[in-house]
Amino acid sequence: MEAILSALAESNRLKIIELLRDGPRSVGEIATELGLRQPQVSKHLRVLSDAGLVEVHPIANRRIYKLRPQPLKELDDWLESFRRVWDERFDQLDDYLREVQAKKKKEGCGKQS
């Protein structure tokens, strides 16, 4: 998990992941899209590959990169535990706000009589 988060922490690598979300691309296509030089993109792709986030398929003299879904699924599973905590807290807040609104409504009715 640490390798995945570390790889995604760099903004250009995150942009590469977002580009690959739409489908496989070559190093040259990624470089053009991001306005980076090919050696820079290759270094970022190596980090993403080492983290298991992308895989490469050589076709002739080109290297085509695509996302690997499993690490992203693992990240989503990990984040799910935090979603549950926040959902519970938001539910508690929602209950509290309903109580406050009901109390204000009740007090408002009593003042008008």
Side-chain angles (χ1 to χ4, degrees):
M1 185 62 59
E2 188 176 329
I4 294 169
L5 292 173
S6 179
L8 294 175
E10 204 282 330
S11 64
N12 285 317
R13 290 194 288 265
L14 187 57
K15 289 175 188 173
I16 290 170
I17 292 294
E18 290 171 347
L19 281 174
L20 294 176
R21 176 181 49 199
D22 297 332
R25 294 180 189 243
S26 70
V27 176
E29 290 170 329
I30 295 168
T32 300
E33 280 286 326
L34 297 181
L36 298 173
R37 295 188 338 234
Q38 192 166 342
Q40 289 174 297
V41 172
S42 293
K43 287 179 184 179
H44 289 307
L45 286 166
R46 187 171 21 257
V47 171
L48 292 170
S49 180
D50 290 346
L53 289 162
V54 299
E55 59 186 39
V56 62
H57 297 280
I59 299 176
N61 63 345
R62 297 176 61 195
R63 298 205 181 287
I64 306 299
Y65 285 84
K66 72 176 198 172
L67 285 179
R68 290 191 62 244
Q70 187 57 35
L72 297 172
K73 171 77 171 102
E74 290 170 16
L75 180 59
D76 186 54
D77 291 345
W78 181 74
L79 289 171
E80 182 61 33
S81 66
F82 293 95
R83 284 187 204 104
R84 282 192 301 265
V85 169
W86 282 105
D87 284 345
E88 290 172 14
R89 290 182 183 178
F90 284 132
D91 288 345
Q92 291 171 354
L93 177 60
D94 194 37
D95 292 344
Y96 173 75
L97 292 174
R98 282 192 191 117
E99 289 174 23
V100 169
Q101 288 174 339
K103 185 177 177 181
K104 283 186 178 185
K105 190 174 184 179
K106 191 174 186 179
E107 289 174 357
C109 290
K111 291 181 181 180
Q112 293 176 354
S113 298

